[in-house]
């Protein structure tokens, strides 16, 4: 694998996890304290993220930093990442619903 291919894998994974978390580029950029333009360059593989940026994005997407570097074949062997993402999405939806209900009845 070349460095360009690896950069494309990392960028594609960032985008995949962003979409799985129902976040726009703008929402993720805000959450990770990045510019939208920089996030776009990361997702398209045009730029590398610093280790600090990778950690910020991982925290914002509720994944481990190493997951950005996993190629499709390796990801298919790791069902736990999909379960973690599903669990996080469900938790977020439950938290939002509870918050909405509390606002409505308070």
């Amino acid at each position: 694998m070349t460095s360009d291919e690896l950069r494309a894998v990392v960028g594609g994974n960032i985008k995949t996890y962003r979409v799985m978390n129902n976040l726009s580029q703008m929402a993720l950029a805000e959450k990770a304290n990045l510019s939208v333009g920089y996030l776009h360059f990361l997702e398209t593989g045009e730029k590398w993220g610093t280790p600090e940026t990778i950690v910020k994005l991982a925290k914002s997407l509720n994944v481990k930093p190493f997951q950005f570097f996993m190629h499709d074949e390796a990801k298919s062997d790791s069902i736990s990442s999909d379960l973690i993402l599903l669990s996080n999405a469900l938790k977020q939806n439950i938290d939002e619903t509870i918050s909405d209900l509390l606002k409505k009845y308070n």
Side-chain angles (χ1 to χ4, degrees):
M1 177 180 291
T2 68
S3 63
D4 288 343
E5 290 169 333
L6 179 59
R7 207 168 39 242
V9 166
V10 171
N13 286 336
I14 292 169
K15 181 177 181 176
T16 296
Y17 290 123
R18 175 179 61 76
V19 170
M20 290 175 80
N21 279 274
N22 294 319
L23 294 172
S24 65
Q25 280 186 338
M26 184 176 289
L28 178 56
E30 282 182 23
K31 209 171 178 186
N33 197 27
L34 303 171
S35 74
V36 176
Y38 183 55
L39 178 58
H40 169 77
F41 286 134
L42 293 173
E43 286 189 356
T44 57
E46 294 177 57
K47 292 194 178 200
W48 277 109
T50 64
E52 292 81 10
T53 299
I54 296 297
V55 169
K56 283 186 200 179
L57 287 168
K59 284 182 182 178
S60 298
L61 294 169
N62 299 310
V63 298
K64 302 289 184 195
F66 77 87
Q67 289 176 279
F68 293 136
F69 296 87
M70 295 175 65
H71 196 270
D72 286 338
E73 292 137 16
K75 281 193 291 190
S76 66
D77 294 336
S78 178
I79 193 164
S80 63
S81 5
D82 291 338
L83 292 174
I84 290 168
L85 286 171
L86 177 60
S87 172
N88 289 334
L90 288 172
K91 181 187 177 303
Q92 181 179 354
N93 287 337
I94 290 169
D95 289 346
E96 288 172 2
T97 301
I98 290 171
S99 178
D100 289 345
L101 287 171
L102 289 173
K103 286 177 188 173
K104 181 178 179 180
Y105 292 106
N106 282 332

